[in-house]
Amino acid sequence: MNPHVRDVAVPNDWDRRGLPGWSYHSQALLELEKEYAFRNHWQIVGHVGDVPNAGDYLTMDVVGERALVVRGKDGVVRAFNNMCRHRGSRVVADEKGTCRNALVCPFHGWVYNLDGTLRGAARPRSFPELDRTEFGLMPLELEIWMGFIFIRFRKGGPQPSVAELLKPIEAEISHYRIADMVPSWGIWTQRTPVNWKSVRDVDNEGYHVAMAHPALQDLYGATYYDEPFVNGVSRSFATYNPHAGRRWSVRQYVKLAPRPERLPEHLREAWIYYGIFPNAVLSVQPESVQFYQEFPLSTGETLLRGAIYRYRDETREQAAARYLAYRIDRDTMSEDVQLSVWSNESMLSEAFEGFYLSDLEYGVRTHHDHLRRQVPVLGLETAPDEKDMWSLNDALLSRS
């Protein structure tokens, strides 16, 4: 029997409605979500294995912000706004790379040390004396947890430290030694033509697995269950079906997947998904770990982003299992993209009357409840006027 980490009983009498349809197509609401659900919450940029050496960097452009993560000569990983203090240019243009000794702005050649301090401006005599710290790159909050690099664009957001936020899953996930892993194929991105909440709605419940995901149903459908969002974290857990293997990828995966002795017995054949509010998931399997997340590009387009990490000393069988798990996940993501398109497009119709959720979709409701606490205007069934959205939300926040 698969163990629950928390008491997650579904209430007997709960509101089965989802968010109102207007909230998936409102531009004014999207601006509120960017500020109150994205910029001021922890976001995963990558893993320490993505920046193993001094001068290695990652960038991430999301919700109107530009993040730069770089490892310094002292070995410390730091995060900054990817923005030159001279005229606001990007300091680095690539998504990933290495700079040998310094960061050089490609616009006018201002030079920054790897710790973010200003080394010098081009033609320095044309400026008054510049304080190297005051004119250094603007730092972002950063925290490393189990090897994953989290940043926050707004200082002092509503979430506690990452360590405190993820304390409920720390004991379980620590068995996987994730901090020691290395990248598999790098960070991937993909665009999908739906509102970001439609992506999250599909991912926050397993009720659809039996119908929509034949590979997952074959692998673990009989054992899968969801634990809803509690204090910003959810958990979904499954172990291999006793007779898994009707599909080729599943059959070969179950045959090759390791049963590591370092893991407790109940985790040796487990796939676990940890949801992190508002928009991220950590997914662990016996042979690998991955993160995936989504960011709004517009009311009707979303950026999907993620990466898979592996053990440095993996065997050929582990590598094959990792590839097969990737195949299963690739098909699952394609299926979910189509489901989210069908759901999202219905919300433009006057015939759409909202969700009516199953007990197996309680995770969708709890994610929506978390969103309502950050953006209380989401509690209104009728769409406010776009020009009044921000002031109305501020008024509702002041009452909470």
Side-chain angles (χ1 to χ4, degrees), residues 5-275:
V5 170
R6 299 167 294 178
D7 179 9
V8 290
V10 177
N12 291 326
D13 186 17
W14 59 282
D15 189 340
R16 296 177 183 271
R17 294 174 298 171
L19 295 173
W22 66 264
S23 68
Y24 291 75
H25 301 285
S26 165
Q27 182 60 43
L29 176 73
L30 180 62
E31 296 307 314
L32 284 170
E33 291 172 335
K34 289 178 182 178
E35 184 63 26
Y36 292 109
F38 285 91
R39 297 182 185 121
N40 67 349
H41 284 68
W42 292 110
Q43 302 294 343
I44 300 173
V45 178
H47 184 275
V48 291
D50 293 309
V51 287
N53 304 309
D56 291 345
Y57 65 83
L58 288 174
T59 65
M60 183 173 75
D61 295 1
V62 293
V63 294
E65 304 290 346
R66 304 195 307 242
L68 165 64
V69 169
V70 62
R71 188 180 289 272
K73 291 183 178 180
D74 55 2
V76 176
V77 178
R78 298 178 177 87
F80 305 98
N81 286 283
N82 186 11
M83 188 180 301
C84 181
R85 298 302 303 279
H86 172 216
R87 299 255 308 263
S89 169
R90 296 173 187 271
V91 178
V92 297
D94 297 329
E95 294 180 357
K96 178 180 174 64
T98 301
C99 47
R100 304 188 82 179
N101 297 305
L103 300 157
V104 182
C105 176
F107 195 174
H108 294 91
W110 280 38
V111 182
Y112 298 89
N113 296 310
L114 299 183
D115 64 1
T117 55
L118 178 68
R119 182 179 296 184
R123 304 185 69 173
R125 292 181 182 176
S126 66
F127 293 96
E129 186 175 351
L130 300 174
D131 183 276
R132 295 177 185 272
T133 299
E134 181 183 351
F135 284 91
L137 299 176
M138 292 182 288
L140 295 173
E141 286 188 290
L142 177 146
E143 187 172 344
I144 296 172
W145 184 85
M146 300 287 178
F148 283 106
I149 303 168
F150 289 77
I151 63 156
R152 188 159 53 184
F153 290 106
R154 297 289 186 263
K155 196 171 288 186
Q159 290 174 312
S161 69
V162 177
E164 183 178 345
L165 176 69
L166 301 183
K167 188 72 174 176
I169 65 173
E170 178 184 358
E172 183 172 73
I173 203 171
S174 64
H175 294 294
Y176 293 87
R177 302 194 326 237
I178 294 170
D180 298 329
M181 290 185 174
V182 295
S184 291
W185 302 295
I187 294 173
W188 58 265
T189 59
Q190 177 181 329
R191 294 184 177 213
T192 184
V194 297
N195 185 271
W196 77 273
K197 295 188 292 298
S198 290
V199 180
R200 192 93 315 271
D201 289 345
V202 170
D203 202 57
N204 280 335
E205 51 88 4
Y207 181 39
H208 69 285
V209 167
M211 186 69 184
H213 297 318
L216 292 187
Q217 181 65 13
D218 183 15
L219 177 63
Y220 60 52
T223 68
Y224 178 92
Y225 65 83
D226 293 315
E227 296 178 2
F229 279 88
V230 178
N231 296 326
V233 180
S234 69
R235 174 179 178 268
S236 300
F237 188 98
T239 51
Y240 310 157
N241 289 334
H243 304 292
R246 291 189 304 275
R247 299 175 68 87
W248 183 87
S249 291
V250 174
R251 181 167 63 253
Q252 298 303 315
Y253 174 78
V254 171
K255 176 182 174 182
L256 293 172
R259 274 77 171 170
E261 291 187 2
R262 70 175 177 277
L263 296 179
E265 188 171 350
H266 73 281
L267 298 182
R268 292 176 187 173
E269 296 185 348
W271 281 33
I272 316 174
Y273 307 85
Y274 303 104

